[in-house]
Amino acid sequence: ALGSSIGAKCSILEDVRSIVETETGADSAQLLPLLEQLASTPRATVVEVLLILDSAAMASNPRVATRLLASIANVLAFRAISKGASAARSCEATHDQFKAAITCLRNGDIVGGVRALACARALWMAADEPDKLMRASYQYEGAAAECISLCVRSCPLPASAPLPPPALDEWIQCEAAARVDLAGGWSDTPPLCYEAGGRVVNAAVTIDGDRPIGARARRLREP
């Protein structure tokens, strides 16, 4: 039985290493079954896998780091659920012990952010209590969201000539079609898109031939 347990542990560790070392890194569709298996393994094995994910995140770009941090959130959540915690997910990542890490990520310091997260995580995992494990997973979901924000903010935009300002008191109006979600709504948002791959089917529609959504604004002479 001991040999079987050690073999299973080595298999999980090698499989996780193999996935996170691929070119795209952290394919969550492949990782998720392995992370679920971790829930019932010894705490030491969980810690080893988390260290693998930490190392990969520190060596990656923000896009891949986002997936890895979301995977760490899954590890913590699965562990908490296996110990009796509620399966409820998502909460604001505002705990004081994680604020320094969130600030690092917000400023583009992936390495510093991942290290700070790991230090705070170690304190919360020490007792292996379901409530703290689940709350730590919330903080990692928040960290993944910060990486997404970093990706958006650092995305290069094509250069374009600035448009001249509109004339004073001239109304500028824009209109758009309505969107109807046919299937998969919100499956393209984290953590669902990392865990199962988001697919959304929708259609743009007009109403009586008109685009029903719009806004208008004008430039005033005085603010």
Side-chain angles (χ1 to χ4, degrees):
L2 178 59
S4 176
S5 174
I6 294 175
K9 168 190 170 181
C10 292
S11 176
I12 290 175
L13 292 176
E14 289 307 314
D15 286 346
V16 170
R17 282 196 186 96
S18 176
I19 293 171
V20 300
E21 288 174 0
T22 61
E23 182 180 351
T24 55
D27 182 337
S28 299
Q30 292 179 282
L31 269 179
L32 196 62
L34 295 173
L35 303 185
E36 288 184 283
Q37 291 179 42
L38 275 176
S40 57
T41 61
R43 178 178 172 277
T45 303
V46 176
V47 171
E48 284 188 66
V49 169
L50 292 176
L51 292 176
I52 292 171
L53 297 175
D54 286 339
S55 296
M58 286 189 285
S60 67
N61 57 52
R63 179 179 60 82
V64 176
T66 300
R67 289 179 172 272
L68 290 161
L69 294 177
S71 294
I72 293 174
N74 280 329
V75 172
L76 296 168
F78 289 144
R79 182 76 172 176
I81 292 169
S82 74
K83 291 179 169 293
S86 166
R89 299 286 295 276
S90 294
C91 179
E92 288 188 32
T94 56
H95 195 280
D96 287 345
Q97 290 181 341
F98 287 86
K99 281 185 176 179
I102 298 299
T103 299
C104 285
L105 296 175
R106 190 169 295 156
N107 293 332
D109 182 4
I110 299 296
V111 173
V114 173
R115 283 178 176 161
L117 283 167
C119 290
R121 182 187 72 217
L123 297 174
W124 285 43
M125 288 188 68
D128 214 17
E129 297 174 354
D131 179 60
K132 286 190 174 180
L133 290 167
M134 185 60 78
R135 290 171 65 198
S137 78
Y138 298 156
Q139 309 306 311
Y140 269 89
E141 287 189 357
E146 285 296 338
C147 281
I148 293 173
S149 175
L150 176 62
C151 289
V152 173
R153 287 185 281 112
S154 60
C155 180
L157 297 175
S160 59
L163 295 175
L168 289 171
D169 295 319
E170 177 186 353
W171 285 99
I172 303 297
Q173 185 165 316
C174 65
E175 296 176 341
R179 189 182 79 170
V180 178
D181 282 342
L182 303 177
W186 290 102
S187 68
D188 56 341
T189 59
L192 290 177
C193 61
Y194 296 141
E195 297 172 359
R199 297 291 186 273
V200 178
V201 178
N202 54 44
V205 298
T206 58
I207 298 177
D208 294 331
D210 295 325
R211 294 185 289 271
I213 300 171
R216 66 176 191 157
R218 62 175 174 167
R219 184 177 165 213
L220 300 177
R221 295 181 181 276
E222 294 183 6

